[in-house]
């Protein structure tokens, strides 16, 4: 696929350029099936950590919440980062899955900063105003993956215009975008209705519910399986 094909306007619907772009996505070897299996271990570790800390009497421990949310919200990012490192060490050809994994891995520390800063600023992390904290634990890596995927498309296609065109044609990127936009609305609604993570188990469950990072890789896997 030549980059100059996308140096002008976006491809028109039904045009040869649009069909060529779609075929390019279907033909590339994106290993999203490798990423799906990393989500459940993070959920399990987060939930087990929450139950253990509750039993030990650390229901509202800030360090405990950090640990539980890191496992439940970002556990899969650690494994996906390992996948990306393994791909790089194998010197495999760069793929969207690898770029996606790198983006998630590099976004791990961002929610730690937000959590600590919010507590130091006096935000009630158990109230409605603290709804964004589990959001960033669950999806900051997803935001990083989305940005990394867009940069990958821009680099592959040769221009921002072509990269954005590829973005809106890519099912994984679109699924990621909708997850990023819709999850905070759900978290805010739950807090308004009275939910509060007053135990570590509740903290784990809230983060697991928000951590829909498995949705975009599932879309990618289905695209691989049924294309």
């Amino acid at each position: 696929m030549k980059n100059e094909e996308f140096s002008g306007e976006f491809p028109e619907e039904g045009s040869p350029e649009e069909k060529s772009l779609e075929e390019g996505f279907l033909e590339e070897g994106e290993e999203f099936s490798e990423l799906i299996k990393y989500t459940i271990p993070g959920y399990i570790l987060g939930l087990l950590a929450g139950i253990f800390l509750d039993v030990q009497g650390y229901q509202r421990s800030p360090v405990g919440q950090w640990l539980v949310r890191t496992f439940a919200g970002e556990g899969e990012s650690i494994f996906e980062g390992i996948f990306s490192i393994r791909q790089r060490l194998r010197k495999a050809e760069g793929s969207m899955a690898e770029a996606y994994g790198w983006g998630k891995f590099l976004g791990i520390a961002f929610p730690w900063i937000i959590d600590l800063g919010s507590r130091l600023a006096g935000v009630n992390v158990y109230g409605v105003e603290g709804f964004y904290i589990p959001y960033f634990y669950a999806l900051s890596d997803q935001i990083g993956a989305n940005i990394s995927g867009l940069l990958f498309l821009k680099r592959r296609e040769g221009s921002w215009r072509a990269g954005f065109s590829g973005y809106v044609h890519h099912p994984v990127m679109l699924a990621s975008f909708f997850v990023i936009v819709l999850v905070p609305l759900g978290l805010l609604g739950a807090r308004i209705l009275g939910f509060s993570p007053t135990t570590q188990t509740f903290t784990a469950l809230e983060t697991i519910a928000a951590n829909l990072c498995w949705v975009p890789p599932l879309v990618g896997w289905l695209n691989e399986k049924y294309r």
Side-chain angles (χ1 to χ4, degrees):
M1 188 182 304
K2 297 181 180 179
N3 292 334
E4 54 265 27
E5 291 178 358
F6 298 100
S7 59
E9 300 297 324
F10 287 109
E12 296 181 359
E13 184 176 356
S15 67
E17 290 84 357
E18 183 190 42
K19 293 179 181 178
S20 177
L21 180 60
E22 292 175 346
E23 289 171 0
F25 285 129
L26 292 176
E27 290 171 359
E28 64 185 7
E30 298 172 345
E31 299 167 311
F32 285 102
S33 57
E34 288 289 319
L35 302 183
I36 297 174
K37 62 186 179 184
Y38 299 140
T39 302
I40 294 178
Y43 287 173
I44 294 174
L45 287 173
L47 188 57
L48 290 178
I51 294 172
F52 175 78
L53 289 169
D54 283 342
V55 171
Q56 298 300 315
Y58 297 106
Q59 287 88 348
R60 293 202 178 195
S61 166
V63 175
Q65 284 196 322
W66 164 78
L67 182 66
V68 168
R69 282 181 171 142
T70 296
F71 280 141
E74 303 188 291
E76 84 282 354
S77 298
I78 298 172
F79 296 116
E80 289 172 9
I82 293 172
F83 165 78
S84 296
I85 293 171
R86 188 182 65 193
Q87 291 293 94
R88 182 59 58 190
L89 291 176
R90 287 171 49 195
K91 297 183 179 179
E93 182 180 355
S95 68
M96 176 68 81
E98 182 186 344
Y100 192 85
W102 273 118
K104 296 193 72 177
F105 185 65
L106 296 175
I108 289 176
F110 185 61
W112 303 347
I113 299 171
I114 292 178
D115 191 358
L116 178 60
S118 298
R119 293 175 188 273
L120 292 176
V123 174
N124 178 10
V125 299
Y126 300 100
V128 174
E129 61 267 38
F131 81 96
Y132 62 88
I133 294 177
Y135 169 71
F136 283 108
Y137 270 99
L139 293 180
S140 66
D141 51 0
Q142 185 66 210
I143 296 170
N146 197 278
I147 294 172
S148 183
L150 176 59
L151 293 175
F152 172 84
L153 291 171
K154 183 265 181 183
R155 184 171 62 252
R156 189 183 70 175
E157 304 301 338
S159 71
W160 280 112
R161 185 177 295 274
F164 278 116
S165 180
Y167 183 98
V168 300
H169 283 81
H170 203 290
V172 174
M173 292 294 96
L174 291 179
S176 174
F177 173 79
F178 283 114
V179 166
I180 291 169
V181 171
L182 295 177
V183 165
L185 300 179
L187 287 170
L188 177 60
R191 292 289 183 102
I192 291 174
L193 291 174
F195 177 83
S196 179
T198 52
T199 69
Q200 301 293 359
T201 302
F202 284 169
T203 297
L205 292 174
E206 180 184 48
T207 308
I208 289 171
N211 185 8
L212 299 182
C213 290
W214 53 269
V215 172
L218 176 61
V219 171
W221 178 76
L222 291 173
N223 184 59
E224 284 184 344
K225 185 176 178 65
Y226 295 108
R227 67 188 179 189

